[in-house]
Amino acid sequence: MKVLKNEKHQGYSPVLSQISDNQIHGDYKESFFIGIESSNDTPFCRANIWPNPDVLPGWQATMEKYHQEALRVCKAIARVLALALDVDGDYFDKPEMLGNPLAFMRLLHYEGMSDPSKGIYGCGPHSDFGMMTLLATDSVMGLQICKDRDVKPRKWEYIPSIKGAYIVNIGDLLERWSNGIFKSALHRVLGNGQDRYSIAFFLQPSHDCIVECLPTCQSENNPPKYPAIKCSTYLTQRYQDSQVDLSIDKKQT
């Protein structure tokens, strides 16, 4: 609790402090959130909160190195996605896009038994906010995806953990960029009583990037499905909707 999250969500989040769409209970997970290291208090970015190095020697350097390497992998994937969308491979490398990205990672620990009928989840149903998520998992099953969110009842299927492989989730902003060609993945995590660990690395464009349908993804018969939106506007609203207020009501005794 000495490294409890700040207003930019960096630091430690206890169990039940995060909620997903239409949940009554918070998620049965705890996490540690690391952003881009910055001494300036800018949108979504300020100096990270780190545990005492005497308690965890070398941990900060390890996390910073992992952050750098995960960002490199995500940018490589973005170039493949750009070619698939019929734009230049370096399209997303522009300064206002991934030249100055918002790149965050969350170290996750899930616990307890889930019961979807009671709204109890390791992580409730949601889609990721940004462009893509690079997910490293252990061998404990738990992650499920729903390929068609509009079908009722929803069909959920487990995603296997493959040793040495990452899971890549498409995020909301890439769905908007691609006009739905790439669909943001609805997913959830169910606990089975085992401890489960994962590392999610979230890639978003620069906070002042305007995300709008790519020219190659629209036509007279297929107009843009989403209005243009500033990245920071979209992310701010989604973060506000997903966090439980941990502050103490001063009126309470």
Side-chain angles (χ1 to χ4, degrees):
M1 298 304 288
K2 292 180 180 179
V3 288
L4 189 66
K5 68 177 183 179
N6 58 28
E7 68 278 6
K8 302 293 176 81
H9 311 291
Q10 292 157 287
Y12 174 72
S13 293
V15 174
L16 303 179
S17 64
Q18 188 173 14
I19 56 175
S20 302
D21 295 341
N22 301 316
Q23 271 184 259
I24 298 174
H25 307 282
D27 291 332
Y28 281 83
K29 69 179 185 216
E30 58 181 349
S31 66
F32 195 92
F33 191 84
I34 300 169
I36 293 177
E37 189 65 50
S38 174
S39 58
N40 298 320
D41 193 0
T42 57
F44 306 101
C45 197
R46 68 183 305 178
N48 278 310
I49 299 172
W50 297 106
N52 187 326
D54 293 333
V55 177
L56 290 174
W59 190 78
Q60 178 179 340
T62 300
M63 293 300 104
E64 290 175 333
K65 179 63 174 177
Y66 184 90
H67 190 286
Q68 294 169 5
E69 289 299 301
L71 178 57
R72 181 183 61 81
V73 172
C74 283
K75 286 186 174 183
I77 295 171
R79 295 184 185 105
V80 176
L81 294 172
L83 294 174
L85 295 172
D86 201 24
V87 294
D88 292 339
D90 61 356
Y91 182 87
F92 292 116
D93 291 337
K94 296 181 177 70
E96 68 273 18
M97 294 183 182
L98 299 184
N100 186 30
L102 296 171
F104 311 128
M105 70 183 197
R106 191 183 291 275
L107 312 178
L108 293 152
H109 169 228
Y110 298 93
E111 60 182 41
M113 291 289 296
S114 296
D115 186 344
S117 67
K118 296 180 181 178
I120 299 174
Y121 298 94
C123 184
H126 68 287
S127 58
D128 292 339
F129 311 159
M131 183 178 184
M132 75 176 84
T133 304
L134 193 67
L135 183 67
T137 66
D138 60 12
S139 60
V140 177
M141 295 287 283
L143 177 65
Q144 293 184 325
I145 64 167
C146 174
K147 292 182 178 178
D148 190 342
R149 66 179 68 195
D150 296 323
V151 172
K152 305 295 182 182
R154 287 172 172 169
K155 181 181 178 182
W156 293 92
E157 53 188 284
Y158 279 102
I159 299 300
S161 175
I162 301 174
K163 186 175 181 179
Y166 280 105
I167 295 168
V168 181
N169 276 344
I170 298 298
D172 297 340
L173 292 182
L174 185 55
E175 180 170 335
R176 299 176 79 101
W177 255 326
S178 69
N179 209 25
I181 292 175
F182 289 119
K183 296 190 180 298
S184 182
L186 186 68
H187 55 287
R188 67 185 187 182
V189 175
L190 299 187
N192 61 6
Q194 292 180 275
D195 288 325
R196 181 177 183 273
Y197 295 88
S198 65
I199 305 174
F201 186 87
F202 304 99
L203 180 68
Q204 289 88 203
S206 170
H207 68 89
D208 56 1
C209 177
I210 303 300
V211 178
E212 55 187 333
C213 180
L214 296 175
T216 55
C217 298
Q218 58 181 291
S219 65
E220 185 177 342
N221 296 324
N222 184 32
K225 298 178 176 64
Y226 309 98
I229 192 168
K230 190 176 182 179
C231 179
S232 60
T233 301
Y234 187 79
L235 295 181
T236 296
Q237 184 57 56
R238 291 298 304 272
Y239 275 119
Q240 288 174 346
D241 292 343
S242 69
Q243 301 296 319
V244 173
D245 187 359
L246 297 179
S247 62
I248 299 174
D249 189 340
K250 294 180 180 179
K251 294 181 181 180
Q252 295 180 347
T253 58

